[in-house]
Amino acid sequence: MRVTIKEVAIEAGVSLSTVSRVLHNNSKITEETKDRVNKAIKKLGYHPNFIASSLAGKPTKTIGIVIPNDSDELFKNTFFINAMRGISIYAQKKGYFLMYSFSKNDEEEVRFIEKYIRSGWVSGIVLLNAYENDKCINYLKDNDFPFVIIGSPSESKDINWVDNNNYDAMAEVVELLISKGKKNIAFIGGSKNLRVTKDRFAGYLSVLEKNKITPQSGLHFFRNSFSESEGYNCTMEIIYSGIEFDSIVTTDDLYSYGALKALEESGRKNIMVTGFNNTPKSSYINPSLTTVEINADELGENAARLLIEHLENKNLKPSGVLINSNLIERETTT
Amino acid sequence: MRVTIKEVAIEAGVSLSTVSRVLHNNSKITEETKDRVNKAIKKLGYHPNFIASSLAGKPTKTIGIVIPNDSDELFKNTFFINAMRGISIYAQKKGYFLMYSFSKNDEEEVRFIEKYIRSGWVSGIVLLNAYENDKCINYLKDNDFPFVIIGSPSESKDINWVDNNNYDAMAEVVELLISKGKKNIAFIGGSKNLRVTKDRFAGYLSVLEKNKITPQSGLHFFRNSFSESEGYNCTMEIIYSGIEFDSIVTTDDLYSYGALKALEESGRKNIMVTGFNNTPKSSYINPSLTTVEINADELGENAARLLIEHLENKNLKPSGVLINSNLIERETTT
DNA sequence: ATTATTTATGCAAGCGGTTGCACGTAAACC
DNA sequence: GGTTTACGTGCAACCGCTTGCATAAATAAT
């Protein structure tokens, strides 16, 4: 059997409570008894039993991570592992345990969250949602359970979130194109309902305005799914429309791959293209794609920080954190 | 406060023990009381508290996963996330929770394992070690703690492991080359101390022998680190040596990338090259690389299966499982 | 010296389940 | 009809730790 607090108490000649107090050094214990207890702990090789400790009321110091498993897109894979690693870096530093589960769909996602909460295992949850999942958020809010979401919530409900500074990131991209003499910049993005699309589009518009360029709605595209073919189609639409354009920015590398394909097929030269998310493929293709690295590690790390801070200080107000991204210049903008 | 077994007992008009027994339906309880209890459970929305249950002696049904975090290369491929997903698929089906931690180095790895065990949280461990880590294995064996390792142990110590059928996989690769008329096949692999290298090399030799081709030691390379530059160097060595060769097999895509570079630089044509691990880059480069998909999902899934089976049946003997891989033919072998 | 105040430590009641053993009742036996 | 057997259920101890409250000793105040 493992060494328990009881053996330590006997060895040190004190009561169980004293040992427990030494362990949490919360009460004023004489240096002398503290020493005795610590020696006993060392001598017996005692390690506290977290389960018992949790049952008795201490927080579990465990965070549950829920990962959607419904998307095969590659970038998400590196995104997830990096985010998970980021979370682990902060959590481990703070002595927290990490649990994870992959969910096939929204419904399962809620079920897992429920299980995490009801079982008593975890004291906080990180939602690694690439997109909206109001079911989860509502469930967590209804249960008043601490959580943080990576990605911004659609409306600014008062919850904890961590996201990129999408406005600035896209602004930087557009600045780059303008500095290269581009003026007619097309925009291909996801659904306009997504906060991320709105922010990136706003960043795009801001730079146009700053440079006294009138935005042309004929160059703006919002699609409901992320895929190469959507990028291809949008680009073809522009070409057929006859609207003048000299460059394309997108909110996801996938769109850009499609755009590049369309440009090549239609023989259009000197059109600069940029992407978003720095997917693995972006550096291997020819020409290599200028894109934005979103720093998933940092997103994860800050998500963990935010959550743990709120776990340890219950009356902190929910807040959001913006993480900077890096523009990676490659061949499609030269 | 959450609903406890006590409220259920009162609601159903039975004792705590009866409710507990219904929950585990291990003793003979009348259908009628069983019904009453189940109704009460449903009515009150009762969910068992795993923490209490674990304290009272039930297994935690939680598996700890330890991931080495010391190599950035490892994060370029999707091995880990896929293995983790594979593990989750089986574990979740069986109602197990999953914990993970990234470790910076061997030492930290052992520390995390120790923490997992001593805290009482986990009842089994999956080692996601790309290579040997005897410290961990020894620690786990010394403590007689259930675990499984993904990758084969160096010697066949009696432990649970899951690995690819590296012998057959490499044999298939070499068969392919021979079927294309190749005879002088170079081999570039990792350290010969690694079981994985030994197995793949053995598979390679077996096919040569079967085809009455005499292996030439001048075409065999074993390097201690996995990197593009090692692959480059080995290939250059062959070229300088003047030994005739018409193809190269490697035990990792990274070597192959280096080899391709060397071949291109030196203007050698018609040399077929194959890799291993199906890294993302392998399909994007030009020419695309013929390689072997090792099916990380399946490795993970089977690791979880093996571990859970042993957890639930203590007197099972340790065993190993071989997972098939798939040869992916691409342009470097056409 | 006596009483009031502080302080370090111990006591014991939980936290929410599990389970060996005891017990009462009903069925089975002679 | 009385005794044995089997079976379903309850009692209570326990898992290892936490913590409010009580207590005894030490210190300060009068």
Side-chain angles (χ1 to χ4, degrees):
Chain A
M1 186 78 293
R2 247 216 262 68
V3 192
T4 73
I5 218 174
K6 195 172 170 186
E7 278 101 79
V8 176
I10 295 172
E11 171 75 26
V14 297
S15 74
L16 305 195
S17 13
T18 303
V19 177
S20 174
R21 289 195 179 101
V22 170
L23 252 30
H24 302 288
N25 59 314
N26 47 0
S27 233
K28 42 265 155 162
I29 305 263
T30 333
E31 278 305 319
E32 192 229 320
T33 38
K34 211 178 277 185
D35 267 16
R36 270 221 314 284
V37 172
N38 281 325
K39 282 210 186 83
I41 288 176
K42 204 151 246 167
K43 180 173 172 194
L44 303 178
Y46 168 79
H47 277 247
N49 180 320
F50 272 62
I51 304 229
S53 167
S54 302
L55 218 213
K58 288 282 181 189
T60 59
K61 292 197 109 186
T62 301
I63 294 173
I65 303 175
V66 178
I67 309 158
N69 187 21
D70 51 1
S71 141
D72 289 326
E73 287 154 49
L74 216 61
F75 90 88
K76 291 193 174 154
N77 288 336
T78 54
F79 170 76
F80 288 126
I81 193 85
N82 282 317
M84 288 177 82
R85 196 215 280 154
I87 293 171
S88 87
I89 287 173
Y90 191 87
Q92 286 171 188
K93 201 157 59 190
K94 289 287 182 176
Y96 276 68
F97 289 98
L98 259 20
M99 287 193 153
Y100 79 88
S101 59
F102 281 92
S103 64
K104 281 200 278 292
N105 48 50
D106 291 12
E107 208 183 295
E108 206 179 64
E109 201 156 342
V110 179
R111 275 228 323 283
F112 282 138
I113 291 178
E114 189 174 359
K115 201 173 170 201
Y116 273 153
I117 298 182
R118 313 304 280 268
S119 68
W121 268 152
V122 315
S123 29
I125 285 180
V126 177
L127 250 31
L128 229 52
N129 284 348
Y131 25 58
E132 304 296 302
N133 188 333
D134 286 328
K135 272 192 205 155
C136 291
I137 297 182
N138 288 337
Y139 183 87
L140 286 163
K141 293 199 76 173
D142 288 352
N143 286 273
D144 199 25
F145 199 82
F147 73 100
V148 58
I149 171 169
I150 295 189
S152 332
S154 49
E155 298 137 54
S156 72
K157 319 174 182 173
D158 49 335
I159 66 179
N160 290 308
W161 57 266
V162 176
D163 202 356
N164 290 113
N165 190 338
N166 287 303
Y167 181 97
D168 285 357
M170 183 56 94
E172 198 182 348
V173 170
V174 179
E175 297 269 23
L176 172 72
L177 293 178
I178 288 181
S179 78
K180 304 250 180 187
K182 301 299 179 187
K183 293 215 149 54
N184 302 306
I185 306 170
F187 178 99
I188 304 177
S191 160
K192 227 177 171 174
N193 295 325
L194 294 178
R195 169 84 181 264
V196 56
T197 310
K198 278 191 253 182
D199 288 350
R200 290 181 187 167
F201 188 58
Y204 159 88
L205 288 180
S206 77
V207 178
L208 293 195
E209 187 176 0
K210 208 175 94 189
N211 288 276
K212 310 232 166 21
I213 299 174
T214 316
Q216 290 184 266
S217 61
L219 292 179
H220 303 158
F221 297 84
F222 302 94
R223 294 302 159 107
N224 286 320
S225 69
F226 296 95
S227 71
E228 226 174 287
S229 58
E230 292 288 3
Y232 179 90
N233 293 340
C234 293
T235 307
M236 282 307 191
E237 258 186 64
I238 308 177
I239 294 173
Y240 289 140
S241 75
I243 301 176
E244 204 179 329
F245 76 109
D246 51 23
S247 52
I248 303 174
V249 299
T250 81
T251 63
D252 195 297
D253 285 355
L254 287 178
Y255 290 137
S256 312
Y257 300 140
L260 288 169
K261 195 171 158 208
L263 292 173
E264 191 179 343
E265 279 184 18
S266 57
R268 298 293 294 248
K269 301 275 181 193
N270 300 322
I271 307 284
M272 287 189 180
V273 176
T274 68
F276 232 99
N277 295 342
N278 191 26
T279 57
K281 187 173 168 178
S282 64
S283 63
Y284 303 133
I285 57 167
N286 191 358
S288 57
L289 179 66
T290 292
T291 184
V292 177
E293 167 60 53
I294 59 171
N295 294 318
D297 295 67
E298 257 183 87
L299 286 168
E301 202 167 336
N302 279 277
R305 184 176 57 69
L306 213 56
L307 181 58
I308 291 176
E309 278 171 8
H310 280 78
L311 248 26
E312 301 190 338
N313 182 355
K314 292 289 179 192
N315 41 29
L316 233 49
K317 290 266 158 286
S319 62
V321 174
L322 285 174
I323 303 298
N324 282 318
S325 41
N326 313 104
L327 177 55
I328 302 180
E329 291 190 50
R330 298 214 185 88
E331 294 163 7
T332 55
T333 52
T334 52
Chain B
M1 190 75 289
R2 249 213 261 71
V3 192
T4 74
I5 217 173
K6 197 172 168 187
E7 279 99 76
V8 176
I10 294 173
E11 172 75 26
V14 296
S15 74
L16 305 195
S17 14
T18 303
V19 177
S20 175
R21 288 195 180 102
V22 171
L23 252 28
H24 301 288
N25 60 314
N26 47 0
S27 231
K28 40 266 155 161
I29 306 263
T30 332
E31 278 305 321
E32 191 230 321
T33 39
K34 211 179 274 186
D35 266 17
R36 270 223 313 287
V37 171
N38 281 325
K39 282 211 187 84
I41 288 177
K42 204 152 246 167
K43 178 173 173 196
L44 302 177
Y46 169 79
H47 277 246
N49 180 320
F50 273 63
I51 304 229
S53 167
S54 302
L55 218 212
K58 289 281 181 191
T60 59
K61 293 196 105 182
T62 300
I63 294 173
I65 303 174
V66 178
I67 309 157
N69 185 21
D70 50 0
S71 148
D72 280 336
E73 277 312 325
L74 295 176
F75 285 88
K76 290 200 174 142
N77 67 42
T78 52
F79 171 75
F80 286 115
I81 194 80
N82 282 320
M84 288 177 83
R85 199 213 281 154
I87 293 171
S88 86
I89 287 172
Y90 191 87
Q92 287 171 187
K93 202 158 57 190
K94 289 288 182 177
Y96 276 67
F97 289 98
L98 259 19
M99 286 192 155
Y100 79 87
S101 59
F102 282 93
S103 63
K104 281 199 278 292
N105 48 51
D106 291 11
E107 209 183 294
E108 206 179 64
E109 203 157 341
V110 179
R111 275 228 323 283
F112 283 137
I113 291 177
E114 187 175 0
K115 202 174 169 201
Y116 274 152
I117 298 181
R118 312 307 279 267
S119 68
W121 269 150
V122 314
S123 29
I125 284 179
V126 177
L127 251 30
L128 228 51
N129 285 346
Y131 25 59
E132 304 296 301
N133 188 334
D134 284 328
K135 271 191 204 158
C136 291
I137 297 181
N138 288 338
Y139 183 85
L140 286 162
K141 293 200 76 172
D142 288 351
N143 285 272
D144 198 25
F145 199 82
F147 73 101
V148 57
I149 171 169
I150 295 189
S152 332
S154 49
E155 298 135 57
S156 73
K157 320 173 182 175
D158 49 335
I159 66 180
N160 290 308
W161 57 266
V162 176
D163 202 356
N164 290 112
N165 190 338
N166 287 303
Y167 181 96
D168 284 359
M170 183 56 95
E172 197 183 349
V173 170
V174 179
E175 298 270 22
L176 172 72
L177 292 177
I178 287 180
S179 78
K180 304 250 178 187
K182 301 299 179 186
K183 293 216 148 56
N184 302 306
I185 305 170
F187 178 100
I188 304 177
S191 161
K192 226 177 170 172
N193 294 326
L194 296 178
R195 169 85 181 264
V196 55
T197 311
K198 276 191 256 184
D199 288 350
R200 291 182 185 166
F201 189 57
Y204 159 89
L205 288 179
S206 76
V207 178
L208 293 196
E209 186 176 358
K210 208 174 94 190
N211 288 276
K212 309 231 166 18
I213 298 173
T214 315
Q216 290 184 265
S217 61
L219 293 179
H220 302 158
F221 297 84
F222 302 94
R223 293 302 158 106
N224 287 320
S225 67
F226 295 95
S227 71
E228 225 174 288
S229 58
E230 291 288 2
Y232 180 90
N233 294 339
C234 293
T235 307
M236 282 306 191
E237 258 187 63
I238 308 177
I239 294 174
Y240 288 141
S241 74
I243 301 176
E244 204 178 331
F245 75 110
D246 51 24
S247 53
I248 303 174
V249 299
T250 81
T251 63
D252 194 298
D253 286 355
L254 286 178
Y255 291 138
S256 312
Y257 300 139
L260 287 169
K261 196 172 156 203
L263 293 173
E264 190 178 343
E265 281 184 18
S266 56
R268 298 292 293 248
K269 301 274 181 193
N270 300 322
I271 307 285
M272 287 189 179
V273 176
T274 68
F276 233 100
N277 294 342
N278 191 25
T279 56
K281 187 172 167 178
S282 64
S283 62
Y284 302 134
I285 57 167
N286 191 356
S288 57
L289 179 67
T290 290
T291 184
V292 177
E293 167 60 54
I294 59 172
N295 294 319
D297 296 68
E298 258 184 86
L299 286 167
E301 204 168 335
N302 280 277
R305 185 176 56 72
L306 213 56
L307 181 57
I308 290 176
E309 278 172 8
H310 279 78
L311 248 26
E312 301 190 337
N313 183 354
K314 292 291 182 192
N315 41 30
L316 233 49
K317 290 268 160 283
S319 63
V321 174
L322 285 175
I323 303 299
N324 282 319
S325 42
N326 313 104
L327 178 55
I328 302 181
E329 292 190 51
R330 298 214 184 89
E331 295 164 5
T332 54
T333 52
T334 52

